[in-house]
Amino acid sequence: MTRHTVRLLPWSSPEGKPCYLIGDGTGSSHVSRVADNIESVQLDMADELLDHAADMKADEQVTDAQLRFLVDRMTESLRDVCRIAVSRGARLWAVACDGDASMRDPQG
């Protein structure tokens, strides 16, 4: 019997709805590898934004427009990072449960 897993992908549909990958849990599909790469880029971008924020905080010449732009990018990045955390947390939960029906859903 094939065990199927569901993975929240790091992108949404054109309508803004979440996209999921249903697979065998090995993470070996092309779509899974693309998702891994996108998550890696998103996490790297978050690190770069943190560095940029630290630089801007130290700069007394920074403008309100520059700060608003940074906050907009950081908001987008935080949304991406939260989505990655939810996706990875769900996959960890699935591995921990590994078909054990007695395990409760962590979402309640």
Side-chain angles (χ1 to χ4, degrees), residues 17-105:
K17 296 181 180 182
C19 294
Y20 297 92
L21 174 63
I22 299 172
D24 61 6
T26 64
S28 62
S29 74
H30 174 71
V31 174
S32 184
R33 288 189 302 274
V34 169
D36 289 343
N37 288 336
I38 289 173
E39 286 180 357
S40 179
V41 168
Q42 289 171 329
L43 292 171
D44 288 346
M45 287 173 59
D47 280 340
E48 290 178 19
L49 280 169
L50 286 171
D51 290 342
H52 189 57
D55 292 342
M56 288 181 79
K57 183 179 171 189
D59 183 357
E60 293 183 19
Q61 302 298 317
V62 69
T63 67
D64 288 346
Q66 290 171 317
L67 287 174
R68 277 193 295 280
F69 183 80
L70 176 65
V71 168
D72 287 344
R73 300 299 71 78
M74 291 183 83
T75 301
E76 293 167 357
S77 183
L78 183 57
R79 191 172 291 117
D80 291 340
V81 170
C82 286
R83 184 183 197 96
I84 292 167
V86 167
S87 178
R88 291 182 180 184
R91 285 183 280 157
L92 286 172
W93 180 255
V95 169
C97 294
D98 200 20
D100 185 350
S102 68
M103 296 288 284
R104 292 187 49 212
D105 182 352

Side-chain angles (χ1 to χ4, degrees), residues 12-17 19:
S12 300
S13 72
E15 299 81 27
K17 296 181 180 182
C19 294

